[in-house]
Amino acid sequence: MTTKLVQPLHAVSEPVPMPGALVPQLDQCALLLDIDGTLLDMAPTPREVWVPPELEQTLRSLLVRTSGALALVSGRSINDIDLIFAPMRLPAVGGHGAEMRLSGGGEAVATHAPPLDPELKSRLAAIARISPGILLEDKGYSLALHYRLAPHAEKAIYESVAAIRAENPDAPLEVLPGKSVCEIKHSGFTKATGVVELMKHAPFEGRRPVFIGDDVTDETVFAIMPELNGVAFSVGRHSDLTAGRFDQPSDVRDWLARLLTTTA
């Protein structure tokens, strides 16, 4: 399938530039990549995602070509990211900006992100009992309620979360709607705050960030790309904040592979 990057809906349709035209020199760029729905196809449950062998090789090669300035930016914890991509370890921003690792051989460090209040976390976790098929994922700094296997429960989940928030109006909670998932975290950090911190450190500092993401949680990163002299692309959905849109994760994987052959 030919990789296709669709221009924003409000723009005049133009031929899609080759990767080399968008990213003239990999040694001047930082590649920042969301995982679920961006690099990897969505799966019925978070544990069922699959990393194609060719993607692993592409990422390893891009890591070398960027001198280490390639990072995964995800709502998943860095420990979870490592399990999915094992044995490969990559720089990463995990937990929606709650933790960061500057190199694959380094250690993950917290970014001063406050965790959820334990009592509130327990009440939110109990929402999973609403229906069979709701999967509870404790990410440490956030709690995710996956309902891909129980789509009928979506309304009840969000109503229950809203009720808990109404009973605790001063609690600094943020609700992140995703693809068949409702995630709740402390409002003091985002993927954007994690990316801003990442870009202060070598080998990312001074480079032009290129970010690719697919859902609402990536909007905060889309929004800060101009101030970082960066560029962003969405996957599967239109955003006014991006330079274009990939149709699906396989197109992103193809495009990344082409970066290795169209930039020199």
Side-chain angles (χ1 to χ4, degrees), residues 60-77:
R60 287 186 186 277
S61 297
L62 286 172
L63 191 66
V64 173
R65 290 284 297 276
T66 59
S67 299
L70 179 151
L72 303 177
V73 180
S74 178
R76 292 179 182 266
S77 69

Side-chain angles (χ1 to χ4, degrees), residues 171-193:
L173 295 177
E174 181 179 5
V175 178
L176 303 174
K179 295 178 179 177
S180 298
V181 62
C182 174
E183 190 160 355
I184 309 98
K185 68 174 187 64
H186 195 286
S187 60
F189 59 95
T190 64
K191 284 185 178 181
T193 62

Side-chain angles (χ1 to χ4, degrees), residues 32 195 199 209-211 220-232 241:
L32 311 177
V195 165
M199 295 301 296
V210 177
F211 176 71
T220 60
V221 186
F222 295 161
I224 64 168
M225 283 297 104
E227 64 191 70
L228 295 175
N229 191 33
V231 62
L241 300 174

